[in-house]
Amino acid sequence: MPRTAPPTAAPPAGQAEQGRTGRERRHDIDLLRVLCTAAVVLVHASAEFLDAGHRTTGVLGDSASRFAVPAFYAMAGWAILAGSPVRGDTQLLTRLGRILRPMAVWTALYLLWQYLFGPPLDGGAKEAVRALFGSVEAAFHLWYLYAYVPLLLLLGVAVLVLGQRATPRWSALLLGALAVAPVLSEDVRTLTGLPLPPWGWSVPLYALGYAVAGAALLAARRRGPRPLWLAGVAVAFVALAVYQFTVRLPAGYGSAAVAALTFAVLGAVAGVRVPERARAVLVRLSDASFGTYLVHLLFVMVLVRPVAERVPHGFAAPVALAVTAVAAAALSFAVSVLWGRLGMRRWLG
């Protein structure tokens, strides 16, 4: 599995609740969600080209899409702090369940795929146990959810406590359990000698920063002329590409270069008016974004990887990346929309 460019993407936290609570649907957020989901596919497609030796193509593709993970954290922050704040313990746990249920299903499906078609699993059945503690090789792109779920839990409990909406008994208990779990698992490993995997359910500080600062920017919808934000996107992209060529590849999500690109994209998209004729399609794609994130790695492995390994160096490589990434994204959105129509989104995302 490619490790050069870690994955992104995100579940639709709060998007369904907007309609239920009578809030105006933010079509600019829908647009941002679809854009970031497509960027997730480009991140992993670029990683395949990097692993195949197409360095320039891979770095440029990765730099153009590295904003997606931080932007998803920002959307999560906006949803739970401003767009659709939780009103009670049960609602918060229900939101988490809508993420954890498809996450478990797809972890099992990727483990099965690896067993049937991939190289031998490292540890065999132990991989399934490792998935309870953190992301596994077969479904490595799901690492994001091991940070995303605790982030939603932390922000949700904070909303309930500060807003005095309800007493978050069970969610606070779960948050406390996640807080002590890393040290507890190490202690159990020391006392028993059991080979417990490292604990992965944790929130990095940069994720919390993107969630809160991004929520503030998205809640404001727009600050300053949009052409300036678009110019900022172009400048930040060039800066990030130079950074990745010369300093660190892949760039950390907490790096200044990634942050600059992320907030420039957020500022450019926030407040965009989507034409009415495009809204129905956009909403359908937005609702399918979580499922697209979960399934897209299969299409990257089947479509992008063989092309990346065979395409010659030179001009053909960036063209091949663009074509295969678009194809993988289109197929991923298509199958996610399909199982949504079949009523399977509860289990498949």
Side-chain angles (χ1 to χ4, degrees):
M1 288 290 182
R3 278 288 183 275
T4 311
T8 106
Q15 73 184 49
E17 283 82 355
Q18 292 183 60
R20 296 175 191 159
T21 58
R23 294 175 182 271
E24 174 192 0
R25 178 131 190 172
R26 290 281 300 272
H27 294 291
D28 57 332
I29 301 293
D30 287 325
L31 177 62
L32 183 62
R33 186 176 289 115
V34 172
L35 175 64
C36 290
T37 304
V40 169
V41 182
L42 180 56
V43 165
H44 289 122
S46 300
E48 296 291 347
F49 276 76
L50 280 167
D51 288 351
H54 302 284
R55 177 175 169 79
T56 300
T57 297
V59 169
L60 292 177
D62 183 87
S63 299
S65 52
R66 187 145 286 268
F67 67 88
V69 161
F72 272 122
Y73 286 132
M75 284 185 282
W78 169 82
I80 208 158
L81 296 175
S84 181
V86 290
R87 299 182 300 277
D89 206 33
T90 301
Q91 186 190 32
L92 176 56
L93 295 176
T94 299
R95 288 191 185 186
L96 297 181
R98 288 205 302 269
I99 300 170
L100 292 170
R101 193 181 304 109
M103 178 183 178
V105 170
W106 280 100
T107 297
L109 291 175
Y110 278 106
L111 285 169
L112 178 62
W113 176 276
Q114 182 80 3
Y115 176 78
L116 295 175
F117 305 108
L121 288 171
D122 180 16
K126 294 181 180 179
E127 283 282 278
V129 176
R130 292 194 189 104
L132 298 175
F133 290 79
S135 59
V136 293
E137 180 70 15
F140 74 90
H141 68 305
L142 301 184
W143 71 269
Y144 170 80
L145 297 180
Y146 290 86
Y148 190 85
V149 169
L151 175 65
L152 292 185
L153 180 62
L154 174 62
L155 294 178
V157 170
V159 166
L160 292 176
V161 171
L162 295 176
Q164 298 182 344
R165 296 167 181 265
T167 302
R169 292 184 179 88
W170 291 106
S171 52
L173 182 63
L174 178 58
L175 181 62
L178 289 179
V180 302
V183 174
L184 179 61
S185 63
E186 291 181 5
D187 292 343
V188 171
R189 188 184 304 116
T190 299
L191 293 173
T192 65
L194 294 174
L196 297 180
W199 188 259
W201 297 88
S202 60
V203 184
L205 182 58
Y206 71 78
L208 185 59
Y210 281 123
V212 176
L217 181 58
L218 291 175
R221 298 203 179 202
R222 182 178 176 182
R223 292 182 179 179
R226 200 171 308 281
L228 291 181
W229 285 111
L230 294 173
V233 171
V235 172
F237 163 70
V238 172
L240 177 56
V242 171
Y243 178 85
Q244 294 208 109
F245 274 120
T246 60
V247 180
R248 181 180 300 170
L249 179 67
Y253 289 119
S255 69
V258 174
L261 178 60
T262 299
F263 287 112
V265 170
L266 293 177
V269 177
V272 166
R273 186 184 182 280
V274 177
E276 289 190 15
R277 62 180 179 277
R279 291 177 182 176
V281 174
L282 182 62
V283 167
R284 187 173 299 168
L285 293 177
S286 177
D287 290 343
S289 62
F290 186 31
T292 301
Y293 157 64
L294 293 168
V295 73
H296 81 276
L297 191 61
L298 289 177
F299 291 108
V300 169
M301 291 188 291
V302 171
L303 295 178
V304 181
R305 182 176 296 174
V307 174
E309 292 173 348
R310 291 173 175 81
V311 69
H313 292 274
F315 179 74
V319 174
L321 172 60
V323 172
T324 55
V326 168
L331 288 171
S332 300
F333 272 111
V335 296
S336 181
V337 169
L338 176 61
W339 72 57
R341 289 186 171 184
L342 295 176
M344 301 171 66
R345 198 163 301 289
R346 174 181 174 88
W347 293 101
L348 297 180

